[in-house]
Amino acid sequence: MSEQTVLAKTPLHAFHLSEGAKMSGFAGYDMPLSYEQGAIAEHHLCRTSAAIFDVSHMGQIELCDGTGSAKAILAQLETIIPANLIDLKAGRQRYGLFLNENGGILDDLMVANYGTHVRLVVNAACVEQDMAWISGHLTEMSITRLHRALIALQGPAAGAAFAALIPASAKMNFMDASSFNWNGVEIEATRSGYTGEDGFEISCPDAVAEDLVKALSAHDNVGFAGLIARDSLRLEAGLCLYGQDMDSSTSIVAASLGWAVPKIRRTGGARMGGFIGADRTLAECDAGAEFCRIGAVAPKGVPPRAGTEIFTSEKADTAIGRISSGMPGPSVGQPVTMLTLPHDIAVSDTPLFADVRGKRILLSRADMPFFPHRFHR
Amino acid sequence: MLKYTEDHEWISLDGDIATVGITDHAQDALGDIVFVELPDVGTAVTAGGDMATVESFKAASSVYAPLSGEIIEINDSLSDDPAQVNSEPLGAGWFVKIKLDDPSAADALMDEGAYKALIS
């Protein structure tokens, strides 16, 4: 790592330091890895109560065409995202992906319809490339990167903690998006997140971010959690991390994200194709891909990590795939991994061994999510 | 008296036997420790060479042999309770005992004052 790299700071940077966070560079930002209680305790806090994550490093992009309606914007977005966005109602959010011409994944993102405009939340490391991609393909609208804090409140107590500040938020269901007034300040919230738990992602002006997290953390059993717990929570929830579990060389079907392409955009659908990367995406939705992403668990003990090679026997010389994410699973009770494998092997019962420092560890295929989703539907 | 390495291991010398672990600073930097992989008894280790692996919740890290010698004992209790490295890094969380090839080589390691200066 270069000592000269100047890391950006989120509006909560000083607050993290005051809370005793261990900080590290991530996607160009100096971010909290964990706080004094440690990442495992933060993971359990999120599963049993609620945890607050600073995700202000993520890109928030607003699309507005001045018509007072999001309709035309959503229609244009369908040319670069293979989702059903034309039917995305005001006050709702949906998952989507940007693809290159070859059907490789450029980023994954959330699209929220706020009625008069659209907001996207994209990965921190991709935001500049995404801004250029959007600007190059959408016309007659303003495309603005918002400089606002983004705070994720996640866990079974998230609903009560947020409703204590914003009573109207109690009416929101999973993937709803809404604007609220909090102490005279406009904030936006979606009932979503990336932990598998119920919760919210809350966008607010930088100046009120610290007041907001302090108000949320005043609720019983709500605490702070860093990026390490965020990683273990999303992995247990079976959720991909861009740049790790998939990248521009990975297709939607090879990433096992085919569920994100609805029937209406597939072969034979009313709005079939019509998006960049459609040729490969539709062909693979029909016929399958050479590779796929699956879940597997390891025996208690050594956790196989990202980059670990996979073999079909204890003696085999040639790796057939690799682990893209691997960590202990505190809520699962054993290490959890995501693997990219040839499709034929993935769906067979061929043994899978992870090679950890020369020792072969037998993995067991497991359905994802490893830990059940508990969204508020 | 404890001696320290720049790689954040400590040793406690008793004749030609060195008990080795990682420092409080090291365990704090690593965070929650979930697994420790120790060498077999009888393994010859070389100063500065790989000796053990510590798996924190986040990542795996190498632990290097502070001095050359032969592993004569390992802390088996870490397999059931690796978190002892977090709670008692200088005590119950020790890693291995090494019969040193040359106990005088320990003189070249840092004393507590020098190590504290290194990590401050």
Side-chain angles (χ1 to χ4, degrees):
Chain A
M1 194 191 311
S2 166
E3 296 285 331
Q4 277 77 41
T5 305
V6 177
L7 295 170
K9 294 173 179 173
T10 76
L12 292 168
H13 187 266
F15 177 78
H16 299 315
L17 296 181
S18 74
E19 289 286 310
K22 284 180 196 160
M23 308 293 287
S24 181
F26 181 81
Y29 284 82
D30 193 34
M31 297 298 290
L33 289 178
S34 62
Y35 298 81
E36 283 176 354
Q37 62 271 37
I40 295 176
E42 293 164 17
H43 177 111
H44 288 303
L45 180 71
C46 181
R47 290 272 185 252
T48 58
S49 182
I52 298 166
F53 302 81
D54 178 11
V55 289
S56 305
H57 61 306
M58 297 191 73
Q60 300 179 71
I61 299 169
E62 188 162 291
L63 308 177
C64 190
D65 66 4
T67 63
S69 162
K71 278 198 163 144
I73 301 167
L74 291 167
Q76 280 204 52
L77 277 173
E78 284 206 354
T79 66
I80 54 170
I81 299 174
N84 180 353
L85 298 175
I86 286 175
D87 297 321
L88 181 66
K89 292 189 175 76
R92 292 287 291 164
Q93 178 179 253
R94 192 156 281 170
Y95 179 78
L97 301 114
F98 293 141
L99 304 174
N100 63 25
E101 299 286 352
N102 300 321
I105 300 171
L106 293 174
D107 198 4
D108 64 340
L109 70 153
M110 289 291 185
V111 182
N113 179 356
Y114 282 94
T116 55
H117 60 278
V118 170
R119 281 217 187 157
L120 312 178
V121 178
V122 305
N123 281 297
C126 301
V127 61
E128 286 176 19
Q129 178 190 294
D130 290 343
M131 283 291 291
W133 186 253
I134 298 163
S135 302
H137 291 95
L138 305 187
T139 58
E140 294 174 356
M141 67 181 77
S142 66
I143 300 162
T144 311
R145 181 176 181 190
L146 302 176
H147 292 281
R148 288 166 75 85
L150 191 65
I151 295 153
L153 172 67
Q154 299 281 295
F162 195 39
L165 304 191
I166 311 275
S169 68
K171 295 197 188 92
M172 296 175 77
N173 289 314
F174 181 57
M175 293 297 237
D176 281 351
S178 193
S179 301
F180 300 102
N181 186 298
W182 182 63
N183 293 345
V185 175
E186 184 171 296
I187 65 174
E188 293 79 29
T190 57
R191 195 153 196 169
S192 62
Y194 222 58
T195 60
E197 298 296 326
D198 179 26
F200 300 86
E201 289 190 350
I202 307 159
S203 173
C204 70
D206 289 359
V208 302
E210 188 166 332
D211 288 343
L212 181 58
V213 298
K214 282 178 174 168
L216 292 170
S217 68
H219 200 85
D220 284 348
N221 301 317
V222 177
F224 293 91
L227 288 182
I228 299 172
R230 186 169 162 81
D231 199 23
S232 57
L233 289 157
R234 70 93 196 164
L235 178 53
E236 283 189 338
L239 302 169
C240 287
L241 180 61
Y242 189 77
Q244 188 163 320
D245 301 306
M246 76 282 203
D247 59 27
S248 61
S249 70
T250 319
S251 67
I252 287 185
V253 177
S256 300
L257 293 170
W259 56 266
V261 185
K263 272 188 183 168
I264 197 167
R265 306 298 308 273
R266 293 188 181 202
T267 306
R271 295 203 304 282
M272 159 184 170
F275 57 88
I276 295 173
D279 291 353
R280 178 177 176 188
T281 304
L282 296 194
E284 291 186 350
C285 282
D286 292 340
E290 190 182 351
F291 293 93
C292 68
R293 177 179 59 93
I294 65 163
V297 295
K300 281 186 187 187
V302 58
R305 307 285 182 171
T308 302
E309 293 190 310
I310 302 296
F311 297 83
T312 56
S313 75
E314 287 188 82
K315 303 281 184 204
D317 294 327
T318 308
I320 49 113
R322 56 184 282 281
I323 292 175
S324 55
S325 288
M327 275 186 89
S331 307
V332 173
Q334 61 192 119
V336 290
T337 68
M338 287 185 193
L339 327 170
T340 299
L341 296 175
H343 182 265
D344 294 350
I345 291 173
V347 299
S348 72
D349 54 7
T350 305
L352 301 174
F353 289 88
D355 187 288
V356 180
R357 298 183 288 277
K359 286 184 187 149
R360 299 274 166 107
I361 297 169
L362 181 61
L363 305 180
S364 305
R365 291 172 181 78
D367 289 337
M368 292 191 285
F370 300 104
F371 190 82
H373 292 167
R374 299 189 291 188
F375 303 133
H376 184 82
R377 291 183 194 275
Chain B
M1 194 180 72
L2 296 185
K3 291 282 204 173
Y4 299 86
T5 72
E6 291 179 356
D7 297 317
H8 309 288
E9 292 100 17
W10 58 264
I11 77 163
S12 167
L13 205 56
D14 180 7
D16 62 351
I17 308 298
T19 304
V20 181
I22 66 169
T23 65
D24 186 57
H25 173 80
Q27 71 76 23
D28 183 62
L30 290 169
D32 300 312
I33 288 165
V34 298
F35 189 81
V36 181
E37 190 173 284
L38 297 174
D40 293 331
V41 169
T43 304
V45 294
T46 309
D50 278 336
M51 182 181 76
T53 303
V54 181
E55 297 270 6
S56 74
F57 188 53
K58 183 177 71 131
S61 307
S62 290
V63 176
Y64 304 103
L67 296 166
S68 298
E70 180 188 336
I71 304 292
I72 57 161
E73 193 177 340
I74 61 172
N75 185 356
D76 284 321
S77 76
L78 295 183
S79 61
D80 290 331
D81 188 6
Q84 292 176 100
V85 180
N86 290 123
S87 57
E88 293 184 71
L90 305 182
W94 65 279
F95 279 32
V96 298
K97 292 185 181 180
I98 304 174
K99 185 177 193 307
L100 299 179
D101 293 344
D102 174 17
S104 71
D107 297 343
L109 299 180
M110 281 180 279
D111 62 15
E112 188 173 353
Y115 181 68
K116 280 191 170 163
L118 175 77
I119 61 175
S120 66

